[in-house]
Amino acid sequence: MRTCRMFPVLLMWCASLLFAQSSSTGATRAGVSPPSPGPCNASAMPSVNQLALLRWYGANVVNTFAIGGRPNGLAFDGQNIWAVGGPTNSVSKIRANDGRLLGTFPVGNIPGYAAFDGANIWVTNLLDNTVSKLRASDGKNLGTFPTGKFPWVIAFDGASIWIADILDNAVSKVRPSDGATLGIFPAGSNPIGLAFDGENIWVANQGNANTVTKLRARDGVLLGTFAVGQNPVGVAFDGTSIWVANSNSNSLTRLRPKDGKITGTFAVGSSPQFIAFDGTNLWVTNLGSNNITKLRDCDGAVLGTFPTGNAPVGIAFDGANVWTANNIGGSVSKR
Protein backbone atom coordinates (compact mmCIF):
# COMPACT_ATOMS: atom_id res chain seq x y z
CA MET A 1 0.00 0.00 0.00
CA ARG A 2 1.75 3.14 -1.19
CA THR A 3 0.43 5.36 1.60
CA CYS A 4 2.39 3.37 4.16
CA ARG A 5 5.65 4.29 2.49
CA MET A 6 4.95 7.94 2.73
CA PHE A 7 4.00 8.61 6.31
CA PRO A 8 5.90 8.45 9.66
CA VAL A 9 5.32 6.22 12.68
CA LEU A 10 1.68 6.72 12.02
CA LEU A 11 1.42 4.03 9.45
CA MET A 12 3.56 1.74 11.53
CA TRP A 13 0.09 1.73 12.84
CA CYS A 14 -0.88 0.95 9.22
CA ALA A 15 -0.60 -2.49 10.59
CA SER A 16 -2.06 -1.38 13.87
CA LEU A 17 -3.71 2.06 13.29
CA LEU A 18 -0.96 4.53 12.74
CA PHE A 19 1.70 5.75 10.42
CA ALA A 20 4.90 3.76 10.45
CA GLN A 21 7.91 5.60 9.47
CA SER A 22 8.88 3.61 6.43
CA SER A 23 11.08 0.66 7.32
CA SER A 24 12.39 -0.54 4.00
CA THR A 25 15.04 -2.80 5.38
CA GLY A 26 15.94 -3.97 1.92
CA ALA A 27 16.54 -0.47 0.55
CA THR A 28 19.70 -0.24 -1.48
CA ARG A 29 22.74 1.76 -0.48
CA ALA A 30 23.54 2.42 -4.09
CA GLY A 31 24.42 6.03 -4.69
CA VAL A 32 25.63 6.61 -1.13
CA SER A 33 28.93 8.41 -1.35
CA PRO A 34 31.73 8.13 1.21
CA PRO A 35 32.43 11.07 3.50
CA SER A 36 33.77 13.99 1.51
CA PRO A 37 37.37 14.86 2.29
CA GLY A 38 38.12 18.06 4.11
CA PRO A 39 39.60 19.50 7.26
CA CYS A 40 38.46 17.83 10.42
CA ASN A 41 40.01 18.92 13.67
CA ALA A 42 38.17 16.45 15.88
CA SER A 43 40.52 15.13 18.53
CA ALA A 44 40.70 11.51 19.60
CA MET A 45 41.27 12.72 23.16
CA PRO A 46 38.27 13.56 25.37
CA SER A 47 37.45 17.22 25.67
CA VAL A 48 37.22 19.10 28.97
CA ASN A 49 33.43 19.15 28.62
CA GLN A 50 33.31 15.38 28.11
CA LEU A 51 35.37 14.86 31.24
CA ALA A 52 33.22 17.25 33.26
CA LEU A 53 30.05 15.44 32.16
CA LEU A 54 31.63 12.06 32.91
CA ARG A 55 31.08 11.05 29.28
CA TRP A 56 34.59 10.60 27.93
CA TYR A 57 33.93 6.91 27.28
CA GLY A 58 32.11 5.42 24.27
CA ALA A 59 28.34 5.09 23.98
CA ASN A 60 28.46 1.43 24.99
CA VAL A 61 26.47 1.73 28.22
CA VAL A 62 22.70 1.94 27.89
CA ASN A 63 19.81 2.11 30.35
CA THR A 64 16.27 1.42 29.18
CA PHE A 65 13.17 2.58 31.04
CA ALA A 66 9.77 1.04 30.34
CA ILE A 67 6.96 3.59 29.99
CA GLY A 68 4.39 1.64 27.97
CA GLY A 69 2.43 2.70 24.92
CA ARG A 70 4.08 3.47 21.59
CA PRO A 71 6.44 6.41 22.24
CA ASN A 72 7.29 8.60 19.25
CA GLY A 73 8.85 11.99 19.94
CA LEU A 74 11.16 13.22 22.68
CA ALA A 75 11.85 16.72 23.98
CA PHE A 76 14.28 17.98 26.62
CA ASP A 77 13.31 20.92 28.87
CA GLY A 78 16.69 21.51 30.50
CA GLN A 79 16.10 19.01 33.29
CA ASN A 80 13.67 16.39 32.09
CA ILE A 81 12.90 14.28 29.04
CA TRP A 82 9.32 14.31 27.74
CA ALA A 83 8.28 11.16 25.88
CA VAL A 84 5.20 11.41 23.68
CA GLY A 85 2.80 8.49 23.27
CA GLY A 86 3.91 6.32 26.14
CA PRO A 87 1.37 5.43 27.50
CA THR A 88 -1.26 5.97 24.82
CA ASN A 89 -2.66 9.51 24.40
CA SER A 90 -0.30 10.93 26.99
CA VAL A 91 3.14 12.39 27.51
CA SER A 92 5.56 11.14 30.18
CA LYS A 93 7.98 13.36 32.10
CA ILE A 94 11.23 11.57 32.96
CA ARG A 95 14.02 12.95 35.11
CA ALA A 96 17.09 12.99 32.90
CA ASN A 97 19.72 12.28 35.53
CA ASP A 98 18.29 8.96 36.70
CA GLY A 99 15.33 8.05 34.46
CA ARG A 100 12.76 8.37 37.22
CA LEU A 101 9.19 8.83 35.96
CA LEU A 102 7.90 12.14 37.36
CA GLY A 103 4.45 12.08 35.86
CA THR A 104 2.22 11.08 32.97
CA PHE A 105 -0.14 13.69 31.54
CA PRO A 106 -3.07 13.22 29.13
CA VAL A 107 -3.04 14.98 25.77
CA GLY A 108 -5.00 14.39 22.55
CA ASN A 109 -5.69 11.45 20.27
CA ILE A 110 -2.51 9.79 18.95
CA PRO A 111 0.09 12.33 20.06
CA GLY A 112 3.19 12.45 17.91
CA TYR A 113 6.06 14.78 18.76
CA ALA A 114 6.94 17.57 21.20
CA ALA A 115 8.83 20.86 21.39
CA PHE A 116 9.92 22.99 24.36
CA ASP A 117 9.48 26.77 24.18
CA GLY A 118 11.49 27.65 27.30
CA ALA A 119 8.56 27.24 29.67
CA ASN A 120 6.06 24.86 28.12
CA ILE A 121 5.91 21.58 26.25
CA TRP A 122 3.90 21.54 23.01
CA VAL A 123 2.55 18.20 21.77
CA THR A 124 0.92 17.41 18.41
CA ASN A 125 -2.28 15.35 18.43
CA LEU A 126 -2.52 13.57 15.08
CA LEU A 127 -6.15 12.48 14.92
CA ASP A 128 -7.58 15.55 16.70
CA ASN A 129 -5.80 18.01 14.40
CA THR A 130 -4.70 19.95 17.48
CA VAL A 131 -1.66 20.82 19.55
CA SER A 132 -1.58 20.71 23.37
CA LYS A 133 0.37 23.14 25.56
CA LEU A 134 1.58 21.77 28.91
CA ARG A 135 3.39 23.72 31.60
CA ALA A 136 6.77 22.04 31.95
CA SER A 137 7.04 22.59 35.70
CA ASP A 138 3.97 20.48 36.57
CA GLY A 139 2.40 19.19 33.34
CA LYS A 140 -0.73 21.32 33.71
CA ASN A 141 -2.64 21.60 30.44
CA LEU A 142 -2.68 25.27 29.44
CA GLY A 143 -4.74 24.82 26.31
CA THR A 144 -5.49 22.81 23.21
CA PHE A 145 -5.37 24.66 19.89
CA PRO A 146 -6.44 23.77 16.36
CA THR A 147 -3.87 23.19 13.64
CA GLY A 148 -3.87 21.60 10.19
CA LYS A 149 -4.67 18.02 9.20
CA PHE A 150 -2.56 15.28 10.75
CA PRO A 151 -0.07 17.43 12.72
CA TRP A 152 2.99 15.36 13.54
CA VAL A 153 6.47 16.89 13.97
CA ILE A 154 6.83 20.22 15.77
CA ALA A 155 9.65 22.73 16.35
CA PHE A 156 10.32 26.02 18.16
CA ASP A 157 12.30 28.82 16.49
CA GLY A 158 12.77 30.98 19.59
CA ALA A 159 9.65 33.01 18.87
CA SER A 160 7.04 30.74 17.27
CA ILE A 161 5.93 27.13 17.21
CA TRP A 162 6.01 25.38 13.81
CA ILE A 163 3.95 22.28 13.04
CA ALA A 164 4.14 19.95 10.04
CA ASP A 165 0.58 19.26 8.86
CA ILE A 166 1.00 16.10 6.80
CA LEU A 167 -2.29 15.97 4.92
CA ASP A 168 -2.34 19.71 4.16
CA ASN A 169 1.12 19.64 2.55
CA ALA A 170 1.80 22.71 4.68
CA VAL A 171 3.28 23.93 7.95
CA SER A 172 1.51 26.01 10.58
CA LYS A 173 3.12 28.82 12.56
CA VAL A 174 1.65 29.32 16.04
CA ARG A 175 2.13 32.04 18.66
CA PRO A 176 3.24 30.41 21.94
CA SER A 177 1.52 32.88 24.26
CA ASP A 178 -2.03 32.02 23.18
CA GLY A 179 -1.85 29.33 20.49
CA ALA A 180 -3.08 31.66 17.76
CA THR A 181 -2.24 30.61 14.22
CA LEU A 182 0.08 33.21 12.66
CA GLY A 183 0.22 31.63 9.24
CA ILE A 184 -0.10 28.49 7.16
CA PHE A 185 2.60 28.04 4.53
CA PRO A 186 2.84 25.52 1.68
CA ALA A 187 5.62 22.96 1.91
CA GLY A 188 6.12 19.85 -0.21
CA SER A 189 4.14 16.62 -0.28
CA ASN A 190 3.53 15.12 3.17
CA PRO A 191 5.80 17.36 5.30
CA ILE A 192 7.22 15.52 8.29
CA GLY A 193 10.61 16.75 9.58
CA LEU A 194 11.38 20.28 10.83
CA ALA A 195 14.54 22.14 11.81
CA PHE A 196 15.44 25.79 12.46
CA ASP A 197 18.80 27.17 11.31
CA GLY A 198 18.64 30.54 13.08
CA GLU A 199 16.78 32.27 10.25
CA ASN A 200 14.87 29.64 8.31
CA ILE A 201 12.68 26.60 8.79
CA TRP A 202 13.65 23.46 6.89
CA VAL A 203 10.91 20.94 6.13
CA ALA A 204 11.40 17.33 5.01
CA ASN A 205 8.72 16.32 2.51
CA GLN A 206 8.05 12.61 2.77
CA GLY A 207 5.95 12.33 -0.39
CA ASN A 208 7.11 11.29 -3.85
CA ALA A 209 9.18 14.43 -4.46
CA ASN A 210 11.92 13.47 -1.95
CA THR A 211 12.74 17.07 -1.12
CA VAL A 212 13.33 19.55 1.66
CA THR A 213 11.71 22.99 1.65
CA LYS A 214 13.35 26.14 3.04
CA LEU A 215 10.99 28.78 4.48
CA ARG A 216 11.99 32.13 5.94
CA ALA A 217 10.93 31.94 9.57
CA ARG A 218 9.85 35.54 10.04
CA ASP A 219 7.19 35.43 7.31
CA GLY A 220 7.06 31.92 5.83
CA VAL A 221 8.29 32.98 2.40
CA LEU A 222 9.46 30.03 0.30
CA LEU A 223 13.20 30.33 -0.32
CA GLY A 224 13.80 27.06 -2.11
CA THR A 225 13.07 23.37 -2.55
CA PHE A 226 15.98 20.94 -2.78
CA ALA A 227 16.28 17.28 -3.71
CA VAL A 228 17.58 14.83 -1.11
CA GLY A 229 17.40 11.02 -0.75
CA GLN A 230 14.38 8.76 -0.84
CA ASN A 231 11.66 9.25 1.77
CA PRO A 232 13.22 12.01 3.91
CA VAL A 233 12.07 12.09 7.54
CA GLY A 234 14.19 13.87 10.16
CA VAL A 235 16.05 17.16 9.74
CA ALA A 236 18.71 18.72 11.98
CA PHE A 237 20.97 21.79 11.97
CA ASP A 238 24.48 21.55 13.40
CA GLY A 239 25.40 25.23 13.26
CA THR A 240 26.95 24.88 9.82
CA SER A 241 24.95 22.39 7.77
CA ILE A 242 21.47 20.92 7.38
CA TRP A 243 21.28 17.14 7.75
CA VAL A 244 18.39 15.04 6.43
CA ALA A 245 17.65 11.38 7.21
CA ASN A 246 16.58 9.50 4.07
CA SER A 247 14.55 6.54 5.29
CA ASN A 248 14.41 4.57 2.04
CA SER A 249 18.01 5.35 1.06
CA ASN A 250 19.51 4.35 4.42
CA SER A 251 21.54 7.55 4.39
CA LEU A 252 21.96 11.10 5.62
CA THR A 253 22.23 14.02 3.21
CA ARG A 254 24.22 17.12 4.20
CA LEU A 255 23.23 20.45 2.63
CA ARG A 256 24.70 23.94 2.69
CA PRO A 257 22.07 26.20 4.28
CA LYS A 258 22.61 29.27 2.09
CA ASP A 259 21.72 27.54 -1.19
CA GLY A 260 20.69 23.95 -0.43
CA LYS A 261 23.68 22.46 -2.24
CA ILE A 262 24.39 18.86 -1.27
CA THR A 263 27.84 18.60 0.34
CA GLY A 264 27.79 14.92 1.19
CA THR A 265 25.77 11.72 1.51
CA PHE A 266 26.59 9.26 4.28
CA ALA A 267 25.46 5.69 4.87
CA VAL A 268 23.77 4.84 8.18
CA GLY A 269 21.52 2.00 9.37
CA SER A 270 18.22 0.66 8.11
CA SER A 271 15.35 3.14 7.74
CA PRO A 272 16.89 6.18 9.50
CA GLN A 273 14.32 8.45 11.14
CA PHE A 274 15.37 11.41 13.31
CA ILE A 275 18.65 13.13 14.13
CA ALA A 276 20.14 14.74 17.24
CA PHE A 277 23.30 16.88 17.41
CA ASP A 278 25.38 16.78 20.60
CA GLY A 279 27.72 19.66 19.75
CA THR A 280 30.32 17.40 18.16
CA ASN A 281 28.54 14.40 16.68
CA LEU A 282 25.29 13.49 14.98
CA TRP A 283 23.10 10.63 16.19
CA VAL A 284 20.40 9.06 14.03
CA THR A 285 17.77 6.46 14.94
CA ASN A 286 17.57 3.45 12.63
CA LEU A 287 14.02 2.13 12.82
CA GLY A 288 14.68 -0.96 10.73
CA SER A 289 17.79 -2.18 12.56
CA ASN A 290 16.95 -1.26 16.18
CA ASN A 291 20.02 0.87 16.70
CA ILE A 292 21.50 4.35 16.41
CA THR A 293 24.40 5.51 14.30
CA LYS A 294 26.92 8.07 15.59
CA LEU A 295 28.63 10.21 12.94
CA ARG A 296 31.42 12.73 13.38
CA ASP A 297 29.88 16.05 12.45
CA CYS A 298 32.93 17.57 10.81
CA ASP A 299 33.27 14.90 8.09
CA GLY A 300 30.40 12.43 8.45
CA ALA A 301 32.66 9.54 9.46
CA VAL A 302 30.74 6.78 11.26
CA LEU A 303 32.03 6.47 14.83
CA GLY A 304 29.83 3.59 15.86
CA THR A 305 26.47 1.85 15.77
CA PHE A 306 24.80 1.08 19.10
CA PRO A 307 21.74 -1.01 20.01
CA THR A 308 18.52 0.51 21.35
CA GLY A 309 15.10 -0.84 22.12
CA ASN A 310 12.70 -2.06 19.45
CA ALA A 311 11.94 0.41 16.63
CA PRO A 312 13.71 3.61 17.76
CA VAL A 313 12.14 6.74 16.32
CA GLY A 314 12.47 9.99 18.29
CA ILE A 315 15.84 11.09 19.66
CA ALA A 316 17.05 13.86 21.97
CA PHE A 317 20.29 15.03 23.59
CA ASP A 318 20.13 16.26 27.19
CA GLY A 319 23.57 17.83 27.38
CA ALA A 320 25.20 14.62 28.57
CA ASN A 321 23.27 11.66 27.19
CA VAL A 322 21.41 10.63 24.07
CA TRP A 323 17.83 9.37 24.50
CA THR A 324 15.73 7.36 22.07
CA ALA A 325 12.02 6.57 21.99
CA ASN A 326 11.53 2.88 21.22
CA ASN A 327 8.16 2.79 19.52
CA ILE A 328 7.44 -0.92 19.55
CA GLY A 329 9.29 -1.57 22.79
CA GLY A 330 7.21 0.89 24.83
CA SER A 331 10.37 2.30 26.35
CA VAL A 332 13.02 5.00 26.23
CA SER A 333 16.74 4.34 26.20
CA LYS A 334 19.49 6.53 27.65
CA ARG A 335 23.11 6.19 26.63
Side-chain angles (χ1 to χ4, degrees):
M1 181 176 174
R2 188 162 186 82
T3 313
C4 291
R5 172 221 175 268
M6 290 176 21
F7 296 115
V9 159
L10 289 288
L11 286 169
M12 186 187 246
W13 295 70
C14 212
S16 51
L17 166 65
L18 232 67
F19 282 53
Q21 272 122 6
S22 173
S23 60
S24 14
T25 56
T28 177
R29 292 185 183 230
V32 175
S33 62
S36 55
C40 187
N41 298 320
S43 171
M45 297 296 292
S47 69
V48 173
N49 285 342
Q50 287 175 307
L51 291 168
L53 293 170
L54 305 180
R55 287 309 309 271
W56 65 89
Y57 49 87
N60 57 331
V61 178
V62 61
N63 291 300
T64 298
F65 308 97
I67 58 174
R70 298 284 294 270
N72 295 306
L74 297 176
F76 179 57
D77 69 6
Q79 291 183 307
N80 307 296
I81 292 288
W82 294 75
V84 182
T88 303
N89 296 342
S90 68
V91 58
S92 296
K93 181 179 180 180
I94 301 162
R95 193 162 61 195
N97 65 355
D98 61 2
R100 179 181 176 183
L101 180 65
L102 299 179
T104 300
F105 309 97
V107 285
N109 195 5
I110 310 301
Y113 288 79
F116 178 57
D117 71 3
N120 308 296
I121 296 291
W122 293 76
V123 181
T124 53
N125 303 308
L126 179 81
L127 297 188
D128 291 342
N129 299 326
T130 61
V131 61
S132 296
K133 178 182 178 181
L134 306 179
R135 191 164 58 199
S137 60
D138 60 4
K140 180 179 180 179
N141 192 316
L142 301 179
T144 300
F145 310 98
T147 182
K149 294 178 183 176
F150 275 29
W152 200 232
V153 175
I154 185 168
F156 179 57
D157 70 3
S160 302
I161 297 290
W162 292 79
I163 302 159
D165 302 319
I166 294 174
L167 294 190
D168 286 338
N169 298 332
V171 292
S172 300
K173 181 180 180 180
V174 172
R175 188 165 57 207
S177 61
D178 59 3
T181 298
L182 301 176
I184 299 173
F185 308 102
S189 176
N190 308 133
I192 172 67
L194 295 172
F196 177 59
D197 71 4
E199 294 183 356
N200 309 295
I201 295 291
W202 292 77
V203 187
N205 304 308
Q206 202 175 35
N208 292 333
N210 298 323
T211 61
V212 290
T213 299
K214 178 182 178 181
L215 304 174
R216 193 164 59 200
R218 71 172 185 268
D219 56 10
V221 167
L222 175 65
L223 298 179
T225 299
F226 311 100
V228 288
Q230 296 179 18
N231 196 20
V233 180
V235 190
F237 178 59
D238 67 4
T240 302
S241 301
I242 296 292
W243 294 78
V244 182
N246 307 306
S247 182
N248 284 13
S249 299
N250 297 337
S251 67
L252 296 189
T253 299
R254 185 178 64 193
L255 300 95
R256 191 165 58 193
K258 70 176 183 180
D259 57 6
K261 180 181 178 180
I262 292 177
T263 59
T265 303
F266 309 94
V268 289
S270 176
S271 191
Q273 299 296 300
F274 291 93
I275 308 165
F277 177 55
D278 70 7
T280 303
N281 306 298
L282 296 156
W283 300 77
V284 57
T285 51
N286 301 308
L287 177 72
S289 47
N290 298 330
N291 55 33
I292 53 176
T293 300
K294 177 183 180 182
L295 301 94
R296 192 164 56 200
D297 174 66
C298 58
D299 61 359
V302 173
L303 300 179
T305 300
F306 309 98
T308 61
N310 200 353
V313 183
I315 188 165
F317 178 60
D318 69 5
N321 300 96
V322 173
W323 293 74
T324 61
N326 308 312
N327 183 264
I328 292 179
S331 66
V332 294
S333 294
K334 172 186 178 182
R335 87 170 44 252

